[in-house]
Amino acid sequence: MSVATNEPRESCCSKLKLFLVALSFVYFAKAFQGSYMKSSVTQIERRFDIPSTFIGVIDGSFEIGNLLVIAFVSYFGAKLHRPRLIGAGCLIMAVGSFCTALPHFFQGPYKYETTITQSSEKNLTHTMLPCQKSAEESADGLPSADSLEECEKAAGSSLWAYVFLGNMLRGIGETPVMPLGLSYLDDFSQEENTALYLACIQTVGIIGPMFGFLLGSFCARLYVDIGAVDLDVIAINHKDSRWVGAWWLGFLVTGAVMLLAGIPFWFLPKSLPKQESKNSKKAVNGTQGEQGPFLPQEGKSEPSSCEKQQPVTMASLAKDFLPSLKRLFSDSVYILIICTSLVAVSGFIGMITFKPKFMEQTYGQSSSKAIFMIGIMNLPAVALGIITGGFVMKRFKLSILGAARVSVTTSLVSFCLLLTQYFLQCRNAQVAGLTIATNSFIKNNLNTLLAQCNTECSCSLKHWDPVCASNGITYANPCLAGCQTATGFGKDMVFHNCTCIGEVPILPTNMSATLGQCSRSEDCDKMFKFYMAISVLGAFVSACGATPGYIVLLRSISSDLKSLALGMQTLIVRTLGGIPPPIYFGALIDQACLKWGTKRCGGRGACRLYDTDAFRSRFLGLIYGLYALSYVLWALLYKRLVQRHKKKAAEPEAVNQEGNDDSSKNTQDETGQEPEKETNI
């Protein structure tokens, strides 16, 4: 008899573990996709020649996809087959990744912005004639009207719509994963194990961004048209601001991984028997322990998970939707949780979207190295922090107030570490006429790029084709440096007799220049190491509060509203905290641009050079403001939680006192005597 009763329990536990493993892998896969998208933002921006503001719109299309369906998925999905809905979402996310990569196969070869005509013979010395223009170019160095239509067709400038659509499909597919997955796990697992399960899922999930950024770094070093062009004729390298990596390749990989991740969910049951809790006897009596619901649902009994649920109809679900929504948003604690999450996520999304560009522009790192450092250093620290937070919750059995204290404390400490990053700065790259002044060039005045030393040349002011002079100063292109001749081929070209170089009062030089922007000083490399150390420590401390923050949300909502609460939180936070931040962060960053690129068919392209001081002040200043506001909201939330805790603690005393009075009165009425004290059971 005992064997017969144990078999279903073992089967239930094994299926729950299978769901836990499958959900962890989906968290890994979706984080793998999302982080790769973040790491490819710079490459996509350069490939389609769009400003940071516009790339923010494309990045926000993921949240737009969430916005379209999350409210219905969170509510109706909780009543339907949750594992299969998650499997369908994985399939849609895979299709979205494949759709994002499509523009590469429709576009022609990438032609970067340049004023240099490569010779067909290597090691050939030839005289530069910058005054001559191509027959297809007008006086401003841009294509003529006759070739404009053909140019736009070849460039495929409107194909960014596929990236927008693919990212939106990813957002739609990701919708059921978090609300339905976490609620399914929480419904059928032991309540004291929920925090540890969440920590495990988030830890496995954080490995996804690690691999995503590493894949992004690898693809950023590969040329976009790898296998289709002769790389020997490419005159730029991965450190150049015009370089575009093989951004499309990673989306094929992430799509295939997501396709595999969704397979197990098609074979999991709609519901499972709930695991027996060590505090099951207390749970029956209505006390859930320290990690139980903060306010238990009154007047309702939780249905047995082993019982077959009654079939539901769409009409009955729709009828109950608005009352459930009203109950949810009448909870002041839930409203404060939403507001706090919204502000904090806004700062985080803006930071993580443009952090690689910040490292590239502020510390002179290549795009691939910046992405690599985030993946290999920051993300493991985040993973360790998340599992540490889950262990602390499990080890000390913290109540909801304890979880809130941990989350607030870790947030404040990480904010203090973030403040120190403002002082870890490097000076601007030395670019004649844009960031520094010389005898002929006036700082930050595009019109003065035409100086006395290059007046005899007919130079383009719009094109960015930087060369590094032997005096350590970068010039916007070899013509503006006054260079007369060149030797070499491809990346090895060297320019000679550059008249503007000799005007700089530095050590005697040979008046030559090489392709590419000059490297930063050694002091900047040291400053970057300090920045990474502070960044890694801050990431660890901040991640320690992630699991306690989830517990505050889960334990503040009654079980029948849990899926809807998680879904509405995701809807609001991703709509207002996911779509606008990349746009207004990008617009603020664009204001710090000193030199814009030029599209093949005319018009302003992507930014090539930023004022790093203005970039740092705007970027970090906005993050500081958002995080500071989130801590004010955390204080209000904690105060409200304390009030609710005191109210809950006072209720049993009043009930017990009232029960004792009634019992005494009844006993006295029946016997006519005062009841004696009960000394033993």
Side-chain angles (χ1 to χ4, degrees):
M1 190 68 179
S2 59
V3 176
T5 56
N6 286 337
E7 286 181 357
R9 188 180 303 169
E10 292 298 326
S11 176
C12 167
C13 293
S14 63
K15 289 180 180 178
L16 184 64
K17 291 176 182 177
L18 175 61
F19 182 84
L20 177 63
V21 172
L23 187 63
S24 299
F25 188 51
V26 169
Y27 263 69
F28 165 84
K30 76 184 185 71
F32 186 36
Q33 277 189 336
S35 59
Y36 181 77
M37 178 66 192
K38 293 292 185 184
S39 69
S40 301
V41 161
T42 302
Q43 311 303 320
I44 295 173
E45 177 182 339
R46 293 172 181 174
R47 183 64 181 96
F48 295 99
D49 265 329
I50 52 180
S52 297
T53 306
F54 200 70
I55 200 67
V57 176
I58 295 177
D59 185 69
S61 61
F62 179 87
E63 278 71 28
I64 294 175
N66 266 264
L67 170 65
L68 295 177
V69 297
I70 194 169
F72 300 99
V73 169
S74 301
Y75 181 71
F76 295 112
K79 316 294 183 181
L80 302 176
H81 201 301
R82 287 179 280 185
R84 289 182 183 174
L85 286 176
I86 295 174
C90 293
L91 180 61
I92 295 174
M93 281 191 281
V95 173
S97 276
F98 296 142
C99 181
T100 304
L102 280 180
H104 171 74
F105 302 99
F106 295 154
Q107 284 179 306
Y110 172 59
K111 295 183 179 179
Y112 53 87
E113 175 187 0
T114 183
T115 58
I116 302 172
T117 302
Q118 291 283 348
S119 172
S120 59
E121 299 181 17
K122 297 182 179 180
N123 299 324
L124 179 68
T125 302
H126 59 279
T127 302
M128 295 180 60
L129 299 175
C131 297
Q132 285 189 346
K133 295 184 176 64
S134 172
E136 294 184 357
E137 292 184 346
S138 56
D140 59 357
L142 300 176
S144 62
D146 296 336
S147 60
L148 184 59
E149 183 177 353
E150 182 180 352
C151 174
E152 291 179 348
K153 183 178 179 181
S157 56
S158 62
L159 291 177
W160 57 264
Y162 284 93
V163 181
F164 184 93
L165 177 62
N167 207 32
M168 182 184 292
L169 286 175
R170 284 185 48 248
I172 293 174
E174 195 265 353
T175 303
V177 174
M178 195 275 284
L180 301 188
L182 295 185
S183 63
Y184 187 92
L185 187 67
D186 192 48
D187 286 345
F188 305 124
S189 64
Q190 293 181 7
E191 290 173 353
E192 57 266 25
N193 288 337
T194 302
L196 185 61
Y197 287 162
L198 288 177
C200 291
I201 291 173
Q202 292 178 8
T203 302
V204 174
I206 205 63
I207 300 175
M210 192 188 315
F211 280 86
F213 277 97
L214 291 178
L215 179 62
S217 175
F218 174 75
C219 292
R221 296 181 69 93
L222 301 177
Y223 190 64
V224 61
D225 294 317
I226 185 172
V229 298
D230 182 7
L231 297 181
D232 290 335
V233 302
I234 305 299
I236 57 176
N237 58 29
H238 65 279
K239 296 181 179 180
D240 198 290
S241 60
R242 295 164 295 168
W243 175 272
V244 176
W247 61 274
W248 54 273
L249 184 60
F251 286 107
L252 298 180
V253 176
T254 58
V257 172
M258 182 55 71
L259 202 60
L260 293 174
I263 294 177
F265 293 94
W266 297 100
F267 304 98
L268 286 166
K270 181 179 179 180
S271 62
L272 293 171
K274 186 174 179 64
Q275 287 183 332
E276 289 186 4
S277 174
K278 295 179 181 179
N279 299 322
S280 57
K281 186 175 181 180
K282 291 183 179 181
V284 172
N285 294 330
T287 55
Q288 302 274 341
E290 290 186 331
Q291 293 194 50
F294 191 70
L295 279 182
Q297 191 72 10
E298 297 180 0
K300 291 187 179 181
S301 59
E302 294 292 334
S304 175
S305 55
C306 294
E307 296 177 359
K308 291 185 178 180
Q309 297 182 357
Q310 296 294 328
V312 294
T313 62
M314 296 299 292
S316 62
L317 292 178
K319 184 179 179 180
D320 192 47
F321 177 72
L322 290 179
S324 299
L325 208 60
K326 184 178 179 180
R327 283 177 55 207
L328 186 63
F329 282 96
S330 61
D331 189 345
S332 59
V333 170
Y334 182 71
I335 296 296
L336 284 171
I337 290 174
I338 291 289
C339 295
T340 305
S341 303
L342 174 61
V343 177
V345 168
S346 296
F348 174 77
I349 292 295
M351 178 178 66
I352 198 64
T353 301
F354 296 104
K355 187 171 185 175
K357 177 177 285 191
F358 174 77
M359 295 165 65
E360 182 181 356
Q361 294 294 327
T362 304
Y363 300 103
Q365 306 299 315
S366 67
S367 179
S368 59
K369 184 178 179 180
I371 297 169
F372 177 80
M373 295 302 291
I374 293 174
I376 203 67
M377 296 189 69
N378 284 72
L379 296 178
V382 172
L384 183 60
I386 289 176
I387 197 66
T388 301
F391 174 77
V392 169
M393 289 292 299
K394 175 74 175 178
R395 173 66 178 82
F396 297 100
K397 298 180 180 179
L398 297 178
S399 65
I400 189 172
L401 292 180
R405 292 190 199 100
V406 171
S407 189
V408 172
T409 303
T410 55
S411 298
L412 288 174
V413 173
S414 65
F415 180 68
C416 293
L417 292 172
L418 185 63
L419 285 174
T420 62
Q421 294 182 11
Y422 184 82
F423 305 99
L424 303 176
Q425 56 181 313
C426 291
R427 64 177 182 176
N428 276 314
Q430 293 185 304
V431 182
L434 293 177
T435 62
I436 63 169
T438 66
N439 290 349
S440 299
F441 295 94
I442 301 175
K443 179 181 176 181
N444 203 17
N445 189 339
L446 187 62
N447 294 328
T448 60
L449 288 178
L450 289 177
Q452 184 177 0
C453 58
N454 56 36
T455 52
E456 296 182 0
C457 305
S458 181
C459 301
S460 170
L461 298 177
K462 296 184 177 181
H463 290 91
W464 175 255
D465 204 6
V467 292
C468 179
S470 54
N471 56 18
I473 296 177
T474 300
Y475 293 84
N477 58 53
C479 180
L480 291 172
C483 301
Q484 303 298 320
T485 60
T487 57
F489 181 80
K491 300 181 182 67
D492 299 324
M493 288 188 68
V494 179
F495 302 89
H496 306 281
N497 300 324
C498 303
T499 56
C500 295
I501 296 177
E503 294 190 353
V504 180
I506 306 181
L507 295 175
T509 62
N510 56 10
M511 297 178 66
S512 64
T514 57
L515 280 175
Q517 198 169 330
C518 294
S519 301
R520 299 290 184 92
S521 62
E522 293 183 0
D523 293 339
C524 198
D525 290 334
K526 294 180 181 178
M527 198 64 68
F528 177 68
K529 293 177 182 178
F530 285 118
Y531 166 80
M532 286 305 303
I534 296 296
S535 179
V536 169
L537 182 59
F540 169 77
V541 174
S542 178
C544 287
T547 301
Y550 262 107
I551 294 299
V552 171
L553 173 60
L554 288 175
R555 299 308 181 207
S556 299
I557 307 299
S558 58
S559 59
D560 62 321
L561 295 177
K562 197 176 299 179
S563 293
L564 181 61
L566 291 172
M568 293 308 299
Q569 186 215 25
T570 306
L571 168 66
I572 296 172
V573 169
R574 285 192 169 171
T575 300
L576 302 179
I579 299 175
I583 299 175
Y584 59 71
F585 266 85
L588 206 62
I589 290 172
D590 282 341
Q591 294 179 7
C593 184
L594 294 176
K595 181 69 179 72
W596 290 96
T598 303
K599 293 183 178 180
R600 287 173 54 190
C601 307
R604 194 175 75 174
C607 185
R608 306 301 186 193
L609 181 69
Y610 291 90
D611 181 344
T612 56
D613 293 334
F615 190 115
R616 187 185 72 259
S617 299
R618 289 176 169 88
F619 181 67
L620 293 179
L622 185 54
I623 294 174
Y624 294 157
L626 290 171
Y627 278 179
L629 179 58
S630 72
Y631 301 140
V632 174
L633 293 172
W634 254 120
L636 296 175
L637 173 60
Y638 182 76
K639 181 179 179 181
R640 186 69 186 91
L641 289 173
V642 171
Q643 291 174 352
R644 179 175 290 190
H645 178 74
K646 291 179 179 178
K647 181 179 179 181
K648 180 188 174 184
E651 288 177 356
E653 296 179 2
V655 172
N656 292 336
Q657 182 66 34
E658 184 179 353
N660 292 334
D661 293 343
D662 291 343
S663 177
S664 300
K665 185 182 296 183
N666 292 336
T667 305
Q668 187 173 6
D669 290 341
E670 292 176 0
T671 63
Q673 298 178 357
E674 293 290 337
E676 295 181 2
K677 276 189 177 181
E678 200 171 58
T679 56
N680 52 50
I681 299 176

